[in-house]
Amino acid sequence: MTPGFAAPPAAPWINICDRHNTAQVGSVTMIGRLPGAPYAVVVPGENPEALALVRQCVPDAFISKIRRGKYIQAGVFRDRATAEYLSVVLREQNLDARVIYLP
């Protein structure tokens, strides 16, 4: 577990601090929206300090943009429960993390 980021007691076996924005599909590395992973954990805005803090837990976090504005994408997941778990971990660091659904 990354220093400063503790696992919530409900699921201590999950290593939530990891890369969640890339996947290898054959010889192609996919970044951002991954197939079959519609739940994204985001932090609104593009604050460099917030991005640095998110990257302490999720090294491949990045800034992206949708119609509503820019946000830090912390990770994408197949299931909402895992996404909510990362959101809680980031909120414990005083980040405004939330889960959004990207159909």
Side-chain angles (χ1 to χ4, degrees):
M1 191 62 59
T2 303
F5 289 89
W13 60 89
I14 297 174
N15 184 13
I16 202 68
C17 289
D18 202 353
R19 297 180 185 277
H20 299 293
N21 292 299
T22 56
Q24 193 71 31
V25 180
S27 62
V28 176
T29 300
M30 300 185 72
I31 300 170
R33 297 209 40 203
L34 305 179
Y39 298 99
V41 179
V42 301
V43 176
E46 56 183 313
N47 181 308
E49 291 83 18
L51 177 60
L53 186 56
V54 172
R55 284 185 173 165
Q56 287 180 18
C57 180
V58 183
D60 63 353
F62 63 95
I63 295 174
S64 191
K65 182 178 179 181
I66 55 176
R67 288 180 296 187
R68 296 182 184 159
K70 292 185 178 180
Y71 63 91
I72 298 167
Q73 180 169 310
V76 290
F77 300 91
R78 295 182 186 281
D79 64 282
R80 185 175 184 98
T82 306
E84 290 290 352
Y85 175 45
L86 176 58
S87 178
V88 167
V89 169
L90 295 176
R91 284 195 310 267
E92 287 176 349
Q93 300 300 313
N94 296 317
L95 293 163
D96 185 20
R98 58 192 67 178
V99 175
I100 62 173
Y101 182 77
L102 301 169

